[in-house]
Amino acid sequence: MDMTNPVRVALIGSGRMGSFHGRTLAQRLPGVHLAVIADPAPGAAGKLAAELAVDPAPAARAVTDPAEVFADPDVDAVVIAAPARFHTDLVVAAAAAGKDTFCEKPMALSLADADRALAAVRDAGTLLQIGFNRRFAADWHAARGLLDSGDLGTPRQIRSLTRDPGGFDPSRVAPGTIFNETLIHDFDTLRYLNPGARAVRVFATATATVEPDWRDRGLQDTATVLVEFDNGAVGIAEACFEAAYGYDVRGELFAAGGMATMGDGRSTGLVFSHTGGRSVSTARSDQELLDAAYVAELAAFTAAVRRRAAAPGAERNPAIADGTDARAALEIALAAAESVRTGRAVRLDGVTGAGA
Amino acid sequence: MDMTNPVRVALIGSGRMGSFHGRTLAQRLPGVHLAVIADPAPGAAGKLAAELAVDPAPAARAVTDPAEVFADPDVDAVVIAAPARFHTDLVVAAAAAGKDTFCEKPMALSLADADRALAAVRDAGTLLQIGFNRRFAADWHAARGLLDSGDLGTPRQIRSLTRDPGGFDPSRVAPGTIFNETLIHDFDTLRYLNPGARAVRVFATATATVEPDWRDRGLQDTATVLVEFDNGAVGIAEACFEAAYGYDVRGELFAAGGMATMGDGRSTGLVFSHTGGRSVSTARSDQELLDAAYVAELAAFTAAVRRRAAAPGAERNPAIADGTDARAALEIALAAAESVRTGRAVRLDGVTGAGA
Amino acid sequence: MDMTNPVRVALIGSGRMGSFHGRTLAQRLPGVHLAVIADPAPGAAGKLAAELAVDPAPAARAVTDPAEVFADPDVDAVVIAAPARFHTDLVVAAAAAGKDTFCEKPMALSLADADRALAAVRDAGTLLQIGFNRRFAADWHAARGLLDSGDLGTPRQIRSLTRDPGGFDPSRVAPGTIFNETLIHDFDTLRYLNPGARAVRVFATATATVEPDWRDRGLQDTATVLVEFDNGAVGIAEACFEAAYGYDVRGELFAAGGMATMGDGRSTGLVFSHTGGRSVSTARSDQELLDAAYVAELAAFTAAVRRRAAAPGAERNPAIADGTDARAALEIALAAAESVRTGRAVRLDGVTGAGA
Amino acid sequence: MDMTNPVRVALIGSGRMGSFHGRTLAQRLPGVHLAVIADPAPGAAGKLAAELAVDPAPAARAVTDPAEVFADPDVDAVVIAAPARFHTDLVVAAAAAGKDTFCEKPMALSLADADRALAAVRDAGTLLQIGFNRRFAADWHAARGLLDSGDLGTPRQIRSLTRDPGGFDPSRVAPGTIFNETLIHDFDTLRYLNPGARAVRVFATATATVEPDWRDRGLQDTATVLVEFDNGAVGIAEACFEAAYGYDVRGELFAAGGMATMGDGRSTGLVFSHTGGRSVSTARSDQELLDAAYVAELAAFTAAVRRRAAAPGAERNPAIADGTDARAALEIALAAAESVRTGRAVRLDGVTGAGA
C-alpha cells in the first residue's frame, strides 16, 4: 500500500456513527486523511474536526453543505453517515461527482430508490460500499471462510440476531425502523452466510415487548423474521431494541458439514468466580462490541479506493457489500414489514443481485 | 420416600427407548420394580427382561399382549414406549384399568385422539405424564426456575432446537414425523419456557436438506417453525435429522430481565489444545446427552405415583407434562404441518390447556 | 456382568463419605448388595442401614465391631470409610480375612504403615483399591486416554488443585491434614497423568491464609507443592480449605503434543445473561462435583471384585489406584510436610511403586 | 490530550519487537510521531523507516548510533527495543540526556546494573516505563481492578504462565534466558496481582523438555518457579519455549473473595462444530495475542510523557511498571536461576521497590 499517496476522504454526518467513523478516518487508518466534514447543523462539523485533529495533518475542513464535498477535487471518496432518509440522494450525488462512496446502511428505503442509487453508481463507474459491519467482524468473516473453503458445506439453518442495549424513546421510532435499520444487518448476514442463494419468501412478526403499552400505537421494538432461500436453507433473523445484558450480536450457521457459531459478547476474557458463581462482563454498545469491525470496514473501503485508483479493473473484495447487496437486504426488510401487515408470507420475485 | 413400598411398573415396548427406560426402572431407581415387560414381538420382552434382571429382585415377567399388563393387579403404573401410532389406545386402556401412565411423546397424532386420551384419564382419575424430557434436563429446569423466581421477567424471544445425529432411512420417514415426533419436544419446550401463555399462530417451513434428492418425494428432514404466543413472545423451533457434530439440543430464552442459554452439548469438560487449535468432544446421541433427564423424568413419575397412592389429592410437580401439555404441543405440530402445506400462517383457535 | 451373582459388600464407617458410599452401594449399583454396615458409634450403622434400605433387598445388617465384618463369610468385599488413622489396621485386617478392599484415602499416615498394608494385601492376594476419585472423573480419565493414545506425548508441566468450600474449624485440623488428606488426591493425580514416571524431589509451602490468625499456631489451610519427576516433568499441586465460589477441583496437563484441561466446575450448563453480565453457577461440594466419579470408582471396584472371583488372574483396570499408588502419593505428602518444616527441597529415594 | 503538540519518539532497535513498536508509534497512536530510528546494523533503520512512513508525516530519520538520538533536541522520548544486554547502558544514557524512556524487559541482567539504571533515572528525574505487557492486557488489568476495588480480597495463590510457540534454536539460548527474558513477565505479573506484598523466597526448577537431548548441555527450555510473598500468598510462574497449540499467556488469581482467571487464548470467537467435535482456533504469536496490550503500553507511555511535560508532578499511572518493578522482577529471576543451580530455596533480602 502506497502510504505516500494518501486517500482523502470526506465525511458527511457528524452524529453518533459519523463521529466514530470520523475518528477512524482521522486517527486509526494510516494513509487515510479526513479532508472534509459536512454537517448541515451549524458548528457541528467544525466541532468534530477540531476534536479529531492530530498534528501534523491539517484539521478537516468543515462545511455545512454536502455539495461542497462533491465539488471538491481534493476529495477522493466520501463516507455517508447522515440520517437514513438522505442516503439515496447522497449516494446518487456522490456517484455523479465521481466519488467512491461508503454509505451507512440502509442505502435506500424503497426499491425504487435502491434502483436509482444502483443506476447512478453503475453509470459513474464508482465504488459503493455499504456499512454491513458483520462482514468485517472476525467471527463472521471466519465463518464465511469455512464456507468458502468447503468445510461447512451447504447451509441448512442460519441465525442472525441483533439486540440493542435499550434506552430508546418509543415516540421517536419511525415505522419500519426495526426492519430497515436494525434487521437489515441480519438480512445481509443471512445472505453473506448463504452465498449464491436467493431469498424467495419471508414471514415476519413484530410487536412491542419492551414497551408493551405502545403496542396499540403500532410500536415494533421486537421482531422475528423467517427467510427462505432458493437452496432450501432457512434463515431466522431476530431483533429487539433492549437487552438487559447489553449489546448482543450473534449468529449460527448450521450446514451439512457442521456448525459455526459467531459472537461471543464478552467484553474481556476475564472470568470472575465469586460467592454467587462465575461471571464474565458483557459488551454494552455496538461501538464496544464491533469496534474492530467498524475500523476494518473503512480500512477495506479505503484500500479499495486506493486499489481502484491504481488499477481500475481490480477485483472486488468479496467481504465488501455493494449496492446490489443493499437492495437485496432491503427487499427482505420491505417484505418483512409487509408480512407483519398482512399476516402472510411474502414471496420475493425480484432479482436480488449477485452480491454476497 | 417409603422404599419399603415399591412402585411396580410395567413397560410396554422393548425397542430403543423401551430398553433404556427398562434399564432405568430395573436398575437406576431405588424403590421401583420393573414388574412386567410387554412387547408383541415374540421373545423380545423376555430377552430384555433377562438382560435387566438384577438379584435379588425377580426378573420382570415377559408378555406379548399389553392387555395382560392392564389386567395385572400387581402393576401400579405403566410406561408406554411402543411405536407412536399405538400411544393413544394404550393410554386409554391404561386409564381404564386405573394404571398411572407415563407415555412417550407423542400422546396422540390427532386432536381427536388427544381428546380421547384426555377424557379417559380424566374419567379414571389416573396420573398421566408425557415424556417431554427437556423439562427434566438440568439447564432447562434451571431456566424455568429463573422464570418462576421472576429473575427473567416476561419472555420475548424463545428458541428451542433438536438436531439428530443422522443415519436415518429417508424411505421410512412417515409424513409429519419431524413435527409430531421431533419438534413436538421443542413445541413443549417453548410452552414450558413461557408459562401461562397460549400459542396463537404458527408459521412453518420444512424441506429435505439432508437428502435433497428426496425433496420431490416430500421428505421433510429439516424444519423451522415460528410460534406466536398471546403474550407477544415469539418462539422459534428448529429441527434437522442430521448434525455432523452429533446430537444437539439447545435453547435460548430471551426475556425482559435477561437471557438464559440452555444446552452445552459437550460430552466431558475436557478441553484439548493441540496443533490445530482447541477442542472439546460433543455428545453423539440423545441417550448420551439426555441420560440424566431420562432418568429424572421416570424418577419424577414414580415419585408422583407413590405420592398419589399416599395422598390422592397431592399437588402436581410442575415439571411434569400432562395430557393437556401433550395436546397443546400436538396442536402446534399439526398447525406447523398445515402451514407447510398451505404456505400460510395457521391460527390456533382451540384451548391449549392450562398445562405448563 | 452376571447380575444374578451379586457382590456382597460391607461398609465400615457411616460418616459423611461412608453415608455417600453406602447409598451408592445400596441404591446405585445394580448387582451390588450392601450387606453390612459397621460403625462403633452406637446406633449409627443401624440408622444408616434403615435409611438406605430398598425393597426387596433386605436392609444391611448393622454392627459396631468391624471384626464382625471380617468374620462374615457372606461378605465378599469391604469399603473402608472410617477416620484416616484407622485405615491401615482395617486394610490389614480385611486382607487377613481375604476380603477385597476399597479404602478411602489415605491408606496410611506413615511409610511403615503403608508397607505393612502392602505386605498384608500381597500376602493375602486380595484386591486393594484406594479412593483416588479423580481417576474416575470423566475429564481426568479422558486426559489419561489422550496420554495413552499418544496424542499428548510426554508431559512437561502438570497441575492439580483442590479447593474446599470452607467452613472448617481451625482448632480441629490435625497437622499434616492438608497434605495427607487433601493434596494426596493431587499427588496421585500428578502421578496418574505422568504414567511410568517417578517423583524424585518435592518442595512445598504451607501456611494459614484462610485463618491468618492461626498462622502462629501452625495451621496450614493453604499449600502449594512442586513435585519433580524423573522424566523432567514438573507437577504443581495446590490446595486451600476455602474457596468463596465453592468446591474446586481442576487440572492441566501440558505435554509435548498439546494440553489437556480438566475440571469445569459448573453445576449446570445454564448461562444467565443479566444486567450485571453473564453468569454460571458453580458446584458447592465434592459430592456435587464428583458425584459421578464417586459412583464410578465403586462400580469399578465391585466389577473388579466380581471379575477376580470369576477369573483370579484377570488384568487390573489401569484406572484403579492400588496400594503402591497410595504409598507413592503418601511419600510425596510426607516429603511435602518435611519440606515445609525444613525449608528445603526433599529428595525421594524410595521406590514409589509401579502403580499408575 | 493536546494532539497539536505531538510527542516525538525515537526508537532504538529495529528487530522483531522494534519493528512492532515502530509501527505502533508511526501509525497507531494519534499525536505521536516516530521521529528517529536507530539501529547499528547498516541500512536496518532506514528500511524500517521507509516501511512505516505515512504521509503527511515525514519518514523517521534513520541513524546507526543511538548517541544521535540522545543528542537530538527534537526527541522527547525513546523506546528501547535493542538486545537485552544493551538495555542498562541505553537507559542510563537516555536518562542522562533527559529523555523519557520506555525500555523493553529486562531493564538489566544484574542487580548492580538495575541499581545503576535506577540511580540514573532518579538523578535525571525522567520517566522510565518497562515493557511488562500484561499490565496492559485487558484481562489482567481487569483482575487488578477487582483487587483494587476490594472484590477479590487478599491473594492466596497466584499463577502466571508464558508458553512460546516454539521454533527456537537451542544452540542460541543464553543461560538464564528463560528466567530473565521470559519468566520476568510472569514475576512482574505475580507482583502486579499482589500489590504491596514483597517476594521473600524463591524455589525453581528448570530443564530441557522440548529439546531433551540438550539437557546435558544445560539448556533450560521449561521452568517452574514458586515465589513466596510476605503476605502469605504463593505465586507459581511457569514457562516453556514451545507449546504445540500456539502462544499461551494465562493467569489465575485466587484470593479470599474469589478467583480471577485471565487469558483466553482464542484467536476469534468463532466456534466450529464438526464431525470431530467442537473447535476454536488459538493465537499463534505474542504479537497476535497481545496486540492490544502492546499498543496500550505505548499509548500509556506517550500519554505519561505528554502529561509530565504539561504537569511535571503528575501522579503515575499505576499500571505503568517502573524501574523498581523491573528490579524486583529481576531479583526473583536471579534467585530462580540460583535456586536451580543450588537446589535450594533462595531467600530475597533486598528491598524490592514500592512498585506494583
Side-chain angles (χ1 to χ4, degrees):
Chain A
M1 200 181 293
D2 178 5
M3 293 299 183
T4 60
N5 185 19
V7 177
R8 299 161 302 178
V9 183
L11 172 70
I12 301 177
S14 65
R16 203 183 69 93
M17 273 315 297
S19 298
F20 191 94
H21 285 323
R23 185 169 304 275
T24 301
L25 295 166
Q27 302 184 354
R28 301 177 74 180
L29 294 178
V32 173
H33 290 191
L34 177 59
V36 190
I37 302 176
D39 196 305
K47 181 158 175 289
L48 182 60
E51 279 172 26
L52 301 180
V54 180
D55 180 282
R61 193 156 65 84
V63 303
T64 50
D65 185 351
E68 290 192 51
V69 165
F70 302 130
D72 188 337
D74 291 337
V75 164
D76 299 312
V78 297
V79 167
I80 299 173
R85 66 187 180 280
F86 301 124
H87 286 184
T88 304
D89 286 347
L90 289 167
V91 167
V92 169
K99 308 296 189 197
D100 290 335
T101 303
F102 177 96
C103 181
E104 263 303 328
K105 51 83 206 167
M107 178 185 73
L109 294 170
S110 71
L111 291 182
D113 267 2
D115 289 334
R116 190 159 59 92
L118 282 172
V121 170
R122 190 175 50 239
D123 292 350
T126 50
L127 280 177
L128 174 62
Q129 179 177 341
I130 308 302
F132 286 141
N133 48 40
R134 260 155 263 183
R135 293 176 179 235
F136 292 91
D139 295 12
W140 281 260
H141 197 259
R144 172 66 183 253
L146 289 173
L147 276 177
D148 292 345
S149 67
D151 287 324
L152 271 172
T154 305
R156 293 178 182 171
Q157 293 176 314
I158 317 171
R159 185 191 195 209
S160 179
L161 69 81
T162 304
R163 292 182 186 140
D164 288 309
F168 65 99
D169 177 350
S171 72
R172 301 190 54 180
V173 176
T177 299
I178 200 165
F179 298 113
N180 299 334
E181 305 219 20
T182 304
L183 282 162
I184 197 128
H185 277 301
D186 302 285
F187 300 144
D188 180 65
T189 301
L190 296 179
R191 292 184 68 250
Y192 178 61
L193 296 177
N194 195 10
R198 202 167 64 80
V200 291
R201 207 165 58 132
V202 174
F203 182 79
T205 71
T207 188
T209 73
V210 181
E211 298 286 355
D213 293 348
W214 284 75
R215 216 174 273 180
D216 293 343
R217 276 167 283 184
L219 178 69
Q220 298 175 330
D221 58 32
T222 308
T224 306
V225 183
L226 188 156
V227 181
E228 290 177 280
F229 287 89
D230 61 0
N231 65 342
V234 171
I236 292 292
E238 296 177 43
C240 184
F241 285 170
E242 181 199 78
Y245 52 93
Y247 183 69
D248 188 9
V249 160
R250 282 175 295 129
E252 177 177 307
L253 169 53
F254 170 59
M259 176 172 66
T261 313
M262 294 80 71
D264 180 72
R266 292 190 287 171
S267 52
T268 73
L270 182 86
V271 180
F272 181 28
S273 300
H274 48 80
T275 52
R278 198 190 297 170
S279 300
V280 296
S281 56
T282 46
R284 298 291 162 169
S285 75
D286 61 332
Q287 295 182 353
E288 178 185 1
L289 189 68
L290 297 173
D291 179 80
Y294 283 142
V295 174
E297 66 183 3
L298 288 188
F301 171 63
T302 51
V305 170
R306 190 191 309 278
R307 205 161 47 232
R308 198 181 68 100
E315 210 173 333
R316 188 169 75 100
N317 174 347
I320 291 181
D322 68 10
T324 61
D325 295 310
R327 189 193 191 280
L330 177 67
E331 193 182 15
I332 299 174
L334 296 173
E338 182 186 337
S339 175
V340 174
R341 264 197 317 276
T342 63
R344 293 165 175 256
V346 174
R347 194 160 288 279
L348 304 184
D349 300 313
V351 174
T352 57
Chain B
M1 201 179 295
D2 179 5
M3 294 298 184
T4 60
N5 186 19
V7 176
R8 300 161 301 178
V9 183
L11 171 69
I12 301 178
S14 66
R16 202 183 69 93
M17 274 315 297
S19 298
F20 191 94
H21 286 323
R23 184 169 304 275
T24 300
L25 295 165
Q27 301 184 353
R28 303 177 72 179
L29 294 179
V32 173
H33 289 191
L34 177 59
V36 189
I37 301 176
D39 195 306
K47 182 158 174 289
L48 182 60
E51 279 171 26
L52 301 181
V54 180
D55 180 282
R61 192 157 66 86
V63 303
T64 51
D65 185 352
E68 290 192 53
V69 165
F70 302 131
D72 187 338
D74 292 337
V75 164
D76 301 310
V78 296
V79 167
I80 299 173
R85 65 186 182 280
F86 302 122
H87 286 184
T88 304
D89 286 348
L90 290 166
V91 167
V92 169
K99 309 296 189 198
D100 289 336
T101 304
F102 177 96
C103 181
E104 263 303 329
K105 51 82 208 170
M107 178 184 73
L109 293 169
S110 70
L111 292 182
D113 267 2
D115 288 334
R116 191 160 57 93
L118 282 172
V121 170
R122 190 176 49 238
D123 291 350
T126 51
L127 279 177
L128 173 62
Q129 179 178 341
I130 308 301
F132 286 141
N133 47 40
R134 260 155 263 183
R135 293 177 180 234
F136 293 92
D139 296 12
W140 280 260
H141 197 259
R144 172 66 183 252
L146 289 173
L147 275 177
D148 292 345
S149 67
D151 288 323
L152 271 171
T154 306
R156 294 177 181 172
Q157 294 176 312
I158 317 171
R159 185 189 194 210
S160 178
L161 70 82
T162 303
R163 292 183 185 139
D164 287 310
F168 65 101
D169 176 349
S171 72
R172 302 189 54 181
V173 176
T177 299
I178 200 164
F179 298 112
N180 299 334
E181 304 217 22
T182 303
L183 282 162
I184 197 125
H185 277 301
D186 302 285
F187 300 143
D188 181 64
T189 301
L190 296 179
R191 292 183 68 251
Y192 178 61
L193 296 177
N194 195 12
R198 202 168 64 81
V200 291
R201 206 165 60 130
V202 174
F203 181 80
T205 71
T207 188
T209 73
V210 181
E211 298 285 355
D213 293 348
W214 285 74
R215 216 173 274 180
D216 293 342
R217 276 166 282 186
L219 177 69
Q220 297 175 330
D221 58 32
T222 308
T224 305
V225 184
L226 189 155
V227 181
E228 290 176 279
F229 288 89
D230 62 359
N231 66 341
V234 171
I236 292 292
E238 296 177 44
C240 184
F241 286 170
E242 180 199 78
Y245 51 93
Y247 184 69
D248 188 9
V249 160
R250 282 175 294 129
E252 177 176 307
L253 169 53
F254 171 59
M259 176 172 67
T261 313
M262 295 80 72
D264 180 72
R266 291 191 288 171
S267 51
T268 73
L270 181 85
V271 180
F272 181 28
S273 300
H274 48 79
T275 52
R278 199 190 295 170
S279 302
V280 295
S281 55
T282 45
R284 298 292 163 168
S285 75
D286 61 332
Q287 295 181 355
E288 177 185 1
L289 188 69
L290 297 173
D291 179 80
Y294 283 141
V295 174
E297 66 183 5
L298 289 187
F301 172 64
T302 51
V305 170
R306 190 191 311 277
R307 205 160 47 230
R308 198 181 68 100
E315 210 174 331
R316 188 169 74 99
N317 174 346
I320 291 181
D322 67 10
T324 61
D325 295 310
R327 190 195 192 279
L330 176 67
E331 193 182 16
I332 299 173
L334 295 172
E338 182 186 337
S339 175
V340 174
R341 263 197 317 276
T342 61
R344 291 165 178 257
V346 175
R347 196 160 287 279
L348 304 183
D349 300 314
V351 174
T352 58
Chain C
M1 200 179 292
D2 179 4
M3 293 297 182
T4 59
N5 186 19
V7 176
R8 299 161 301 179
V9 183
L11 171 70
I12 301 177
S14 66
R16 202 184 68 93
M17 272 316 295
S19 298
F20 191 94
H21 285 323
R23 184 169 304 275
T24 300
L25 295 165
Q27 301 184 353
R28 301 177 74 179
L29 294 177
V32 172
H33 290 191
L34 178 58
V36 189
I37 301 176
D39 196 304
K47 182 159 173 290
L48 182 60
E51 279 171 24
L52 301 180
V54 180
D55 180 280
R61 192 157 65 87
V63 304
T64 52
D65 185 351
E68 290 192 52
V69 165
F70 302 130
D72 187 338
D74 291 336
V75 164
D76 300 311
V78 296
V79 167
I80 300 173
R85 66 188 181 281
F86 301 123
H87 286 185
T88 304
D89 286 348
L90 289 167
V91 167
V92 168
K99 309 294 190 198
D100 290 336
T101 304
F102 177 97
C103 181
E104 262 304 328
K105 52 83 209 170
M107 178 184 74
L109 293 169
S110 71
L111 291 181
D113 266 2
D115 288 333
R116 189 160 60 91
L118 281 171
V121 170
R122 191 174 49 239
D123 292 350
T126 50
L127 278 178
L128 173 62
Q129 178 178 341
I130 308 301
F132 287 141
N133 47 40
R134 260 155 264 185
R135 293 177 180 235
F136 293 91
D139 296 11
W140 281 260
H141 197 258
R144 173 65 183 254
L146 289 173
L147 276 176
D148 292 345
S149 67
D151 287 323
L152 271 171
T154 305
R156 294 177 181 172
Q157 293 176 313
I158 317 171
R159 185 190 194 208
S160 178
L161 70 81
T162 303
R163 292 183 187 139
D164 287 311
F168 65 100
D169 177 349
S171 73
R172 301 190 54 181
V173 176
T177 299
I178 201 165
F179 298 112
N180 299 335
E181 304 219 20
T182 304
L183 282 162
I184 197 129
H185 277 300
D186 302 286
F187 300 144
D188 180 65
T189 301
L190 296 178
R191 292 185 67 252
Y192 178 62
L193 296 177
N194 194 12
R198 201 167 66 80
V200 291
R201 206 165 60 132
V202 174
F203 181 79
T205 71
T207 188
T209 72
V210 181
E211 299 285 355
D213 292 348
W214 285 74
R215 215 173 273 181
D216 293 344
R217 276 167 282 185
L219 177 68
Q220 298 174 331
D221 58 33
T222 309
T224 305
V225 184
L226 188 155
V227 181
E228 290 176 280
F229 288 89
D230 62 0
N231 65 344
V234 171
I236 293 292
E238 296 177 42
C240 183
F241 286 169
E242 179 199 78
Y245 51 93
Y247 184 70
D248 188 9
V249 160
R250 282 176 295 129
E252 177 177 307
L253 169 54
F254 170 60
M259 175 172 66
T261 314
M262 293 80 72
D264 181 71
R266 292 191 287 171
S267 52
T268 73
L270 183 85
V271 180
F272 181 27
S273 300
H274 48 81
T275 52
R278 199 190 296 170
S279 301
V280 296
S281 56
T282 46
R284 298 292 162 170
S285 75
D286 62 331
Q287 294 181 354
E288 178 186 0
L289 189 69
L290 296 173
D291 179 81
Y294 282 142
V295 174
E297 67 183 6
L298 288 189
F301 171 63
T302 52
V305 170
R306 190 191 310 276
R307 206 160 47 231
R308 199 180 69 99
E315 209 173 331
R316 186 169 75 98
N317 174 348
I320 291 180
D322 68 11
T324 62
D325 295 310
R327 188 193 192 282
L330 176 68
E331 193 182 16
I332 299 173
L334 295 172
E338 181 186 338
S339 175
V340 173
R341 265 196 316 276
T342 62
R344 291 166 176 256
V346 175
R347 194 160 289 279
L348 305 183
D349 301 312
V351 173
T352 57
Chain D
M1 201 180 291
D2 179 5
M3 294 297 182
T4 60
N5 186 19
V7 176
R8 298 161 302 177
V9 183
L11 171 70
I12 301 177
S14 65
R16 201 183 69 93
M17 273 315 296
S19 297
F20 191 93
H21 285 323
R23 185 169 304 276
T24 300
L25 295 165
Q27 301 184 354
R28 301 177 73 179
L29 295 178
V32 173
H33 290 190
L34 177 59
V36 190
I37 302 175
D39 196 305
K47 182 159 173 290
L48 182 61
E51 279 172 25
L52 301 181
V54 180
D55 180 280
R61 193 156 65 86
V63 303
T64 51
D65 185 353
E68 290 191 54
V69 166
F70 302 130
D72 187 339
D74 292 336
V75 165
D76 300 311
V78 297
V79 167
I80 299 173
R85 66 187 181 279
F86 301 123
H87 286 185
T88 305
D89 286 349
L90 289 167
V91 167
V92 169
K99 309 296 189 196
D100 289 337
T101 303
F102 177 97
C103 182
E104 262 304 328
K105 51 83 210 168
M107 178 184 73
L109 294 170
S110 71
L111 291 182
D113 267 1
D115 288 334
R116 189 159 59 91
L118 281 172
V121 170
R122 189 175 50 238
D123 292 350
T126 50
L127 279 178
L128 174 62
Q129 179 179 339
I130 308 301
F132 287 140
N133 47 41
R134 260 155 265 185
R135 293 178 179 233
F136 292 92
D139 295 12
W140 281 261
H141 197 258
R144 173 67 183 253
L146 288 173
L147 276 176
D148 291 345
S149 67
D151 288 322
L152 272 171
T154 305
R156 294 177 182 173
Q157 293 175 313
I158 316 172
R159 185 191 195 208
S160 178
L161 69 82
T162 303
R163 291 181 187 142
D164 287 310
F168 65 99
D169 176 349
S171 73
R172 302 189 52 181
V173 176
T177 298
I178 200 165
F179 298 112
N180 299 334
E181 305 217 21
T182 303
L183 282 162
I184 197 127
H185 277 301
D186 302 287
F187 300 144
D188 180 66
T189 301
L190 296 179
R191 292 184 67 252
Y192 178 61
L193 296 177
N194 195 10
R198 202 167 64 80
V200 291
R201 205 166 60 131
V202 174
F203 181 80
T205 71
T207 188
T209 72
V210 181
E211 299 284 354
D213 293 349
W214 286 74
R215 215 173 273 181
D216 294 344
R217 277 167 280 185
L219 177 69
Q220 297 175 329
D221 58 32
T222 309
T224 305
V225 184
L226 189 155
V227 181
E228 289 177 282
F229 287 90
D230 62 0
N231 65 342
V234 171
I236 292 292
E238 297 178 41
C240 184
F241 286 170
E242 180 199 77
Y245 52 93
Y247 183 71
D248 188 9
V249 160
R250 281 175 295 129
E252 177 176 306
L253 170 53
F254 171 59
M259 175 173 66
T261 314
M262 294 79 71
D264 179 72
R266 291 192 287 173
S267 52
T268 72
L270 182 85
V271 180
F272 181 28
S273 300
H274 47 80
T275 52
R278 198 190 296 170
S279 301
V280 296
S281 55
T282 46
R284 297 292 162 168
S285 75
D286 61 332
Q287 295 181 354
E288 178 185 0
L289 189 69
L290 296 173
D291 179 80
Y294 283 142
V295 174
E297 67 183 4
L298 288 187
F301 171 62
T302 52
V305 170
R306 191 190 309 276
R307 205 160 48 231
R308 197 181 69 98
E315 209 174 330
R316 188 169 74 99
N317 173 349
I320 291 181
D322 68 10
T324 61
D325 295 309
R327 190 194 191 281
L330 176 67
E331 193 182 16
I332 299 173
L334 295 171
E338 182 187 337
S339 175
V340 175
R341 264 195 319 275
T342 62
R344 291 165 175 257
V346 175
R347 195 160 288 280
L348 304 183
D349 300 314
V351 174
T352 56

